[in-house]
Amino acid sequence: MNLAIRDIRHNILRFVLTGVGLGGLLGIVITMAGIYEGALTDALRLPRASNPDLWVVQPKTKGPFAEPSRIPRDTRNLVRRLPGVAASGAVTFQTVQATTEGRHLRLFVVGYEPGRLGGPADLVAGHSITESHYQMVADASSGLRLGEEVPLGPYGDRYTVVGLTRGMVTSAGDPVAWITLLDAQTLQFSVPPPLQRREKALGRSPPATADVNAVLVRLDPGVSKTAVAREIDRWKHLSAVTEAQEEGYLTVFVIEKMQRQLGMFMGILIVVSAVIVALIVYTLTMDKLRSIATLKLVGAPDRTIVGLIVQQALILGVAGFALGVGLVWAFKDYFPRRVQMEPRDIAILFAITVMVCLVASALSVRTAVRIDPAKALTG
Amino acid sequence: MSEMADPQALVELRGISKHFGKGPTRVDALIDITMTALAGEVVGLVGPSGSGKSTLLNVVGCVTEPSLGWMRFNGDTVYDGRWVRRDLRRLRLEKIGFIFQTHNLLPFLTAVENVMEVMELAGARQAEARVRAVQMLEYLEVGQRRNALPAQLSGGEAQRVAIARALANRPKIILADEPTAPLDSVRAGIVMDLLRRIATDQAATILVVSHDEKIFDRFDRILYLRDGRLVRDGYQPQLSKSPPAGSG
């Protein structure tokens, strides 16, 4: 006969309420792990979608995602002529704010040259950019629809959405949009006429608008990435990083802080969960002191007593965990950020929950094991 | 162990003493208690508060370790200056049944489960334990209440379930601590009749601690304790004629 289940049945309301609270807390922990995984996926999605072998960027920078990079546009042609290079494409990246149909949009805009590397992959609706100006491919998470016009830039140039992708967002959760490189350069580098006049009056040349942020390079099969990167590095005004290095920078510099922050919150919530489990199991144990003394008096071994307490803690933890997973599973699509539940994370959190329950029941077990069976005989 | 054991005794104590504390704070709870209880006997342990009744019950129940003396159950030495068996819980489970003043049933188990639990602790399979527990409850005339939780039972019913639990593993020694205290005289009489029947049917020794004078006439023998000493050990007819001076 399982005493733990019988006692839970007897105190079902207390258990259910605690389980729901614990489930909510563990659900938040699981969500945080999911947000981290989602951010990691999102951060790596854009570089992986472009699928280059090398990123050519400004020297002594960590690439276009970790820190700003600005290189001449002709870098693309320069790099293309290197032996072993199969294809190249110049790109710009910038975050823009737009308002369309009363909605505020924050987009991560990629400027690329149609037909070259850096454009959108796997369109779910519409088509790629076919004209030199004012066309846009956007991610469906932006809420934009095909044919919708989005005003961008200081002059409110209207871009028509001609294609849609799915799941292309940045680590910050901003949807990605693609426009032509020419449009993107104008958007990023052009200055309004009054500023241009002022610069001219001061004898300064207007800012260059032909720069790009990076050049993507794809190599011929079998060509060493490090060898080509070393070749590019020999030009003092350029630097090349491999795809793996770029992903490493993204993970270390962009995601790591988020990981630490979420990790701290998760740690705090796990401690709070442990305190809740410990409190409820301790309260239930204190309520049962006489029953435990009676069990000992009639001959129950310590393992029966310990089993009663530990099983209750584990049942509470596992039920709360299952509820937490269920809640996250049911509501993850309603979160503004991607919540990605990885089986590995779930398994680790489950193991942590089990450990937490075991630790949380320790005080109760200690109290129960020390109860004098003679207490059952006192009136 | 120099004394000769009584081959007929189910419970046999020789020179049992128990003291708590040391020096000026020392309390002698039991002093040189020598007694025997035979199979089929219902023995009353009576005396004023602080006379050592509960301590004696705890010692016989292997809950409290004596300071001196020796103790035998059914011919087997249990205590001889130290506990002979290390696993006292197992000893209690197999040889001793406890009946408490307040029934002490586990509140989260039904009547039948309370009885089954003790059987299962002793190694019985669940199905077998259930059959035997139901039989036990029917024997004690509470079979129809088998699925009720303790909170749903009357005081008399709960006490019968507690008696069923005490009998679950067919112990030869049953220790009862004020078993009739929460009951009116009619129900107290019924419980005592039950204990008498059990002692006879199962050839068990029943030691009953009680303050309840209404049930003194139900005991075969009464052991009077005062200040930790056994001042009178007598059969009922003798006692009714000459109650000991100062007994409570």
Side-chain angles (χ1 to χ4, degrees):
Chain A
M1 189 182 332
N2 190 302
L3 296 179
I5 289 173
R6 296 295 198 286
D7 190 37
I8 287 171
R9 220 165 50 187
H10 190 63
N11 292 292
I12 192 69
L13 185 64
R14 203 186 317 185
F15 253 84
V16 167
L17 290 177
T18 311
V20 167
L22 190 63
L25 273 176
L26 291 173
I28 295 171
V29 173
I30 294 163
T31 304
M32 286 181 168
I35 285 174
Y36 170 71
E37 290 291 349
L40 196 62
T41 301
D42 291 342
L44 299 178
R45 201 142 194 162
L46 185 58
R48 281 181 182 171
S50 309
N51 196 25
D53 292 314
L54 294 173
W55 292 82
V56 181
V57 294
Q58 187 178 325
K60 300 186 192 304
T61 66
K62 303 293 184 193
F65 300 107
E67 58 183 326
S69 157
R70 198 163 169 177
I71 55 175
R73 182 180 179 177
D74 64 358
T75 303
R76 193 246 303 154
N77 285 329
L78 201 64
V79 170
R80 177 69 186 84
R81 287 195 287 270
L82 281 174
V85 173
S88 62
V91 288
T92 61
F93 301 106
Q94 63 193 307
T95 303
V96 299
Q97 194 79 33
T99 304
T100 175
E101 295 179 5
R103 280 183 294 132
H104 296 292
L105 273 179
R106 191 175 165 81
L107 298 170
F108 184 76
V109 175
V110 179
Y112 79 107
E113 298 167 288
R116 297 191 191 277
L117 294 182
D122 303 326
L123 269 63
V124 293
H127 56 81
S128 296
I129 292 174
T130 53
E131 293 177 13
S132 302
H133 294 289
Y134 307 128
Q135 283 191 339
M136 173 190 276
V137 172
D139 190 74
S141 62
S142 64
L144 293 170
R145 296 179 304 275
L146 287 179
E148 193 169 345
E149 290 190 346
V150 185
L152 292 180
Y155 306 109
D157 296 326
R158 302 186 78 79
Y159 289 77
T160 306
V161 178
V162 295
L164 292 173
T165 60
R166 192 177 299 283
M168 295 299 293
V169 294
T170 65
S171 60
D174 298 330
V176 178
W178 289 262
I179 58 177
T180 63
L181 185 65
L182 288 173
D183 285 345
Q185 284 171 322
T186 306
L187 204 60
Q188 187 171 158
F189 302 122
S190 71
V191 291
L195 188 55
Q196 279 183 29
R197 285 196 297 276
R198 185 177 178 277
E199 293 292 296
K200 205 169 183 179
L202 290 170
R204 293 199 287 247
S205 43
T209 58
D211 287 351
V212 296
N213 295 132
V215 168
L216 285 66
V217 177
R218 189 167 298 153
L219 303 177
D220 289 320
V223 174
S224 164
K225 292 175 190 175
T226 48
V228 176
R230 215 177 303 123
E231 192 69 23
I232 293 170
D233 283 341
R234 283 176 58 202
W235 295 324
K236 302 296 183 193
H237 69 293
L238 295 175
S239 173
V241 292
T242 62
E243 189 198 4
Q245 282 174 314
E246 187 57 44
E247 287 192 4
Y249 295 150
L250 267 171
T251 311
V252 173
F253 299 121
V254 181
I255 301 296
E256 195 186 59
K257 189 171 276 182
M258 180 189 252
Q259 184 187 25
R260 265 186 279 153
Q261 200 169 24
L262 289 176
M264 257 182 68
F265 275 123
M266 285 164 73
I268 291 167
L269 288 174
I270 284 171
V271 169
V272 172
S273 304
V275 170
I276 288 178
V277 175
L279 261 179
I280 195 73
V281 172
Y282 188 70
T283 311
L284 284 167
T285 304
M286 295 308 284
D287 287 351
K288 284 197 293 284
L289 285 186
R290 197 175 181 84
S291 295
I292 290 168
T294 303
L295 276 167
K296 286 173 128 179
L297 185 72
V298 299
D302 277 344
R303 66 171 182 277
T304 303
I305 314 292
V306 172
L308 167 65
I309 294 164
V310 171
Q311 282 170 27
Q312 283 188 340
L314 285 176
I315 289 169
L316 191 61
V318 171
F321 186 82
L323 183 67
V325 170
L327 284 173
V328 177
W329 192 264
F331 294 106
K332 71 185 171 70
D333 294 335
Y334 297 98
F335 278 81
R337 296 288 300 266
R338 184 197 300 273
V339 179
Q340 189 173 316
M341 293 171 76
E342 291 289 331
R344 181 181 53 93
D345 293 345
I346 300 286
I348 290 170
L349 284 174
F350 181 75
I352 290 172
T353 304
V354 169
M355 289 300 295
V356 159
C357 290
L358 291 176
V359 171
S361 60
L363 179 64
S364 304
V365 166
R366 188 167 166 268
T367 308
V369 167
R370 288 183 170 193
I371 293 170
D372 183 358
K375 278 203 187 314
L377 290 165
T378 53
Chain B
M1 184 178 76
S2 55
E3 293 91 338
M4 289 292 292
D6 182 344
Q8 298 211 317
L10 208 53
V11 176
E12 195 174 2
L13 275 63
R14 289 280 181 272
I16 288 288
S17 295
K18 175 65 187 175
H19 62 259
F20 298 99
K22 287 179 183 173
T25 60
R26 173 172 161 143
V27 175
D28 289 304
L30 294 175
I31 303 164
D32 196 22
I33 302 287
T34 295
M35 59 157 279
T36 55
L38 306 179
E41 265 190 330
V42 179
V43 179
L45 289 175
V46 301
S49 294
S51 60
K53 304 184 299 292
S54 293
T55 307
L56 182 57
L57 202 72
N58 287 355
V59 166
V60 177
C62 302
V63 178
T64 299
E65 183 172 1
S67 306
L68 278 175
W70 61 266
M71 185 161 67
R72 280 186 157 203
F73 290 165
N74 207 13
D76 296 331
T77 303
V78 175
Y79 183 83
D80 188 6
R82 61 181 177 83
W83 293 116
V84 173
R85 278 178 65 163
R86 289 186 64 183
D87 190 357
L88 293 175
R89 290 197 206 171
R90 192 78 204 168
L91 177 77
R92 290 199 293 268
L93 190 60
E94 290 168 354
K95 294 193 184 294
I96 306 169
F98 290 91
I99 301 167
F100 307 92
Q101 182 176 344
T102 49
H103 52 74
N104 278 18
L105 294 171
L106 303 188
F108 48 89
L109 299 183
T110 62
V112 71
E113 286 170 344
N114 263 285
V115 182
M116 284 168 66
E117 176 60 21
V118 184
M119 293 175 178
E120 287 182 28
L121 284 172
R125 289 175 186 278
Q126 196 171 39
E128 176 203 346
R130 181 171 288 278
V131 171
R132 275 173 46 204
V134 170
Q135 284 172 352
M136 197 71 75
L137 291 173
E138 278 167 0
Y139 171 70
L140 295 168
E141 297 166 10
V142 277
Q144 75 286 0
R145 303 289 283 145
R146 72 180 74 137
N147 293 322
L149 289 167
Q152 296 164 327
L153 298 170
S154 69
E157 286 171 337
Q159 198 58 299
R160 285 181 202 208
V161 175
I163 293 171
R165 179 178 64 182
L167 299 177
N169 291 324
R170 300 190 183 97
K172 288 294 177 190
I173 302 160
I174 294 163
L175 306 178
D177 186 15
E178 304 275 7
T180 58
L183 306 177
D184 59 39
S185 56
V186 175
R187 286 192 169 80
I190 293 169
V191 166
M192 287 311 296
D193 287 344
L194 261 175
L195 293 179
R196 150 84 38 233
R197 201 167 92 202
I198 290 159
T200 308
D201 290 354
Q202 303 196 11
T205 289
I206 301 181
L207 289 180
V208 183
V209 165
S210 184
H211 278 104
D212 189 354
E213 291 187 13
K214 297 189 297 291
I215 62 166
F216 281 9
D217 59 351
R218 308 294 185 111
F219 298 134
D220 296 318
R221 281 164 61 208
I222 293 183
L223 306 179
Y224 279 95
L225 289 163
R226 194 169 59 220
D227 299 331
R229 293 178 191 277
L230 184 61
V231 294
R232 177 71 64 90
D233 176 355
Y235 283 89
Q236 197 55 44
Q238 289 173 276
L239 288 165
S240 57
K241 284 172 197 163
S242 57
S247 63

